[in-house]
């Protein structure tokens, strides 16, 4: 599974995560990375590690979407995932009551190789 863990933060406060409790070390490391992000600044970044990569997208209104992926995941897949989730959590009035379910749905979609149209065309 390419995207192993994802979360939504409001500043330094965790709002939603998926899968909760399954990867505690990855979750803790990602929260450490996200704690360094200025919440009022638009920023997209990838932090590479030996086994996984940590990605985040800060939309400038305090919300930060982050995920952990295996190293072989294409950057376009991660960018698409972060942008899809960020669009749903944009703004102070975004409904995040079902944040975990939203993350789960988006992770399932972007982890399915059949949904990567560029790879399908290349093959």
């Amino acid at each position: 599974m390419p995207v192993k863990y994802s979360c939504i933060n409001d500043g330094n406060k965790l709002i939603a995560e998926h899968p909760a409790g399954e990867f505690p070390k990855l979750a803790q490391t990602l929260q450490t990375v996200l704690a360094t992000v200025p919440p009022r600044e638009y920023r997209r970044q990838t932090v590479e590690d030996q086994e996984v990569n940590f990605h985040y997208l800060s939309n400038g209104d305090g919300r930060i979407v982050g995920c952990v992926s295996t190293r072989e995941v294409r950057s376009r897949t991660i960018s698409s995932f972060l942008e899809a989730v960020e669009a749903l959590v944009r703004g102070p009035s975004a409904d995040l009551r079902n944040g975990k379910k939203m993350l789960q749905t988006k992770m399932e979609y972007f982890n399915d190789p059949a949904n990567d149209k560029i790879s399908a065309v290349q093959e």
Side-chain angles (χ1 to χ4, degrees):
M1 203 192 272
V3 179
K4 298 176 76 141
Y5 172 82
S6 62
C7 69
I8 303 167
N9 281 24
D10 193 357
N12 288 330
K13 180 184 175 198
L14 179 66
I15 297 175
E17 64 179 332
H18 179 75
E22 194 169 322
F23 301 105
K25 185 176 179 184
L26 293 179
Q28 181 181 11
T29 305
L30 181 59
Q31 289 301 315
T32 302
V33 169
L34 297 182
T36 66
V37 179
R40 301 288 177 214
E41 179 179 307
Y42 179 86
R43 185 181 287 185
R44 174 194 311 257
Q45 191 162 354
T46 296
V47 178
E48 295 182 2
D49 196 20
Q50 293 178 352
E51 298 175 17
V52 295
N53 289 336
F54 300 91
H55 315 272
Y56 64 84
L57 174 60
S58 173
N59 63 10
D61 73 351
R63 299 266 165 80
I64 304 169
V65 178
C67 70
V68 180
S69 72
T70 55
R71 292 186 52 90
E72 66 271 0
V73 178
R74 292 187 163 105
S75 62
R76 70 173 179 269
T77 301
I78 295 300
S79 292
S80 297
F81 170 77
L82 292 173
E83 289 170 4
V85 174
E86 190 272 335
L88 297 172
V89 302
R90 185 179 297 137
S93 61
D95 182 13
L96 294 174
R97 290 176 288 181
N98 296 320
K100 179 182 175 186
K101 182 68 174 168
M102 176 189 48
L103 289 172
Q104 178 183 3
T105 303
K106 293 298 181 188
M107 282 176 65
E108 288 171 357
Y109 178 83
F110 286 98
N111 284 339
D112 184 355
N115 293 324
D116 187 356
K117 294 176 181 22
I118 293 175
S119 291
V121 168
Q122 288 175 340
E123 289 178 13

